[in-house]
Amino acid sequence: MKQDEGDTITACLECDLLLARPAPSKSREARCPRCGSRDSASRYFTSQTSLAVSLAALIVAIPAHLYPQMEFTLLGRPTTYTLTEGALALIDKGFLWVGGLILLSTVVAPLLLLVCIALISLLWSMQQAWAFTARLLKLFHYITSWAMLDVYLLSVIVSVVKLLDMGKLELSTGFFCFVAMLVLTTAATLLFNSEACWNAIEKHQHAGD
Amino acid sequence: MLAINANLARCHVCGKVSHLPSEGAFACPRCHTPLHFRTPYSVSRSWAYTLTAAICFVPANLYPIMNVQSIDKSFTSTIMSGVIDLAQNDMLPIAIVVFVASIAVPLFKLIGIIVLLTIVQRGKPVKRQQAIRMYRFIDFIGRWSMLDIFVISILVSLVSFGQIASIEANIGATAFGAVVILTLLAAESFDPRLIWDLQDTEDDRTEL
């Protein structure tokens, strides 16, 4: 499915300048001539690539969530850590808000984001269920800034350094799956163009009139 | 020409540009979100979030974020003492990372947003490129403050050996989480178009 051109005008999100809508480009995002901000809506979007990458991310997400990421041994006694455990441990000990926040930004938001991208791309290629796609796109819009897997990766590194002198620490399967998931999630987000999807929905609405 | 001068508004959810005769009069025809020329009450909401964050910033730094207990010693750790600990254990690069993410970034964000809000409220000509660069920087770095929160969660669940050694979260963690979320919300409420609505100090030849 080729990307639809949509309307002929757009406005810069950062400075409100009226612009001719840039043609989708594979190489670069268009920049506003006045303030220099990039417009992600000019990204080249194909549903197949988007679907492939988001599905791949969802597949590695399974071992990333189920297998332990680290094993920490102190005086011969090992403990392991899986992605969701930290948040759940905090909630368990009464830190409901902090635990919930961590759960949202490392588990719920990234997974919802991937499911949204995969489903939207799938429905786009099937040219079906436009109303549902619109709902998914709205959910995507509100959830997208809450996924913080990249920050989480850095915090794993910091924790490893903090614990190194206390006991024996080993990174295991879950961590490497998590890194793969992070790379694929970033790729899926960068390849996705929600405005192209809105254009397709609108075109369909008009066709129905 | 600006969209607002042509009575046009770009939907902040789906990006469609539509005709809008007066502020808040219509919803976007494509995704049914209410349309606005500028984010409504952007400055007041941003101020509210920023001030709340500034208040939470005090307990976040004064109260301990973790209790560390082991056989020979037991102590509480604040954000700053964690950084000093890392630096003294010859892990300076990581100490710098944690210092930047947990102390410098939230503080810079608070000050930055207050500066931007003051600039917009004064309404005097400013160097707009400089102001927008500050906005983009604040918008970009905000999420990295979550670092310490995630570290706490990893340590708490990994170091739980009962009497031998255990780490538990403390009240400072909640306050710090609140600071991070509130500054994120403050940056999100701030409408960058307000900066471009001001006059520039230098004659701007790209003005169309």
Side-chain angles (χ1 to χ4, degrees), chain B residues 155-188:
Chain B
L155 293 184
V156 164
S157 81
L158 211 48
V159 187
S160 52
F161 299 94
Q163 296 290 315
I164 306 166
S166 68
I167 295 180
E168 276 184 28
N170 208 328
I171 189 78
T174 308
F176 187 71
V179 172
V180 178
I181 291 307
L182 287 165
T183 50
L184 277 177
L185 289 172
E188 205 164 295

Side-chain angles (χ1 to χ4, degrees), chain B residues 78-95:
Chain B
T78 60
I79 296 173
M80 197 64 212
S81 75
V83 173
I84 295 170
D85 232 33
L86 280 172
Q88 282 173 344
N89 285 319
D90 292 328
M91 290 181 274
L92 202 60
I94 295 288

Side-chain angles (χ1 to χ4, degrees), chain A residues 10-122:
Chain A
T10 186
C12 173
L13 273 177
E14 272 188 18
C15 74
D16 212 26
L17 182 70
L18 271 184
L19 296 161
R21 180 175 288 280
S25 146
K26 269 183 182 170
S27 51
R28 308 204 78 170
E29 289 174 25
R31 273 169 172 274
C32 168
R34 186 171 176 231
C35 70
S37 70
R38 291 167 207 269
D39 191 352
S40 60
S42 66
R43 269 180 211 153
Y44 190 83
F45 174 77
T46 53
S47 57
Q48 287 96 333
T49 329
S50 191
L51 182 62
V53 177
S54 53
L55 276 183
L58 278 173
I59 290 168
V60 287
I62 300 169
H65 284 80
L66 293 183
Y67 285 112
Q69 296 198 327
M70 283 179 262
E71 199 184 81
F72 180 59
T73 316
L74 190 74
L75 302 173
R77 281 169 53 180
T79 48
T80 56
Y81 172 79
T82 30
L83 186 56
T84 49
E85 250 173 18
L88 295 179
L90 281 176
I91 293 177
D92 222 36
K93 292 195 173 129
F95 288 86
L96 206 62
W97 287 103
V98 184
L101 178 63
I102 296 168
L103 202 62
L104 174 72
S105 48
T106 58
V107 181
V108 178
L111 286 181
L112 265 181
L113 199 72
L114 288 174
V115 170
C116 274
I117 295 179
L119 269 180
I120 292 166
S121 310
L122 183 70

Side-chain angles (χ1 to χ4, degrees), chain A residues 3 7 11 26 55 73 76 78-79 86-87 89 138 145 147 172 200:
Chain A
Q3 186 167 341
D7 298 342
K26 269 183 182 170
L55 276 183
T73 316
T79 48
K138 275 199 179 179
S145 57
S172 47

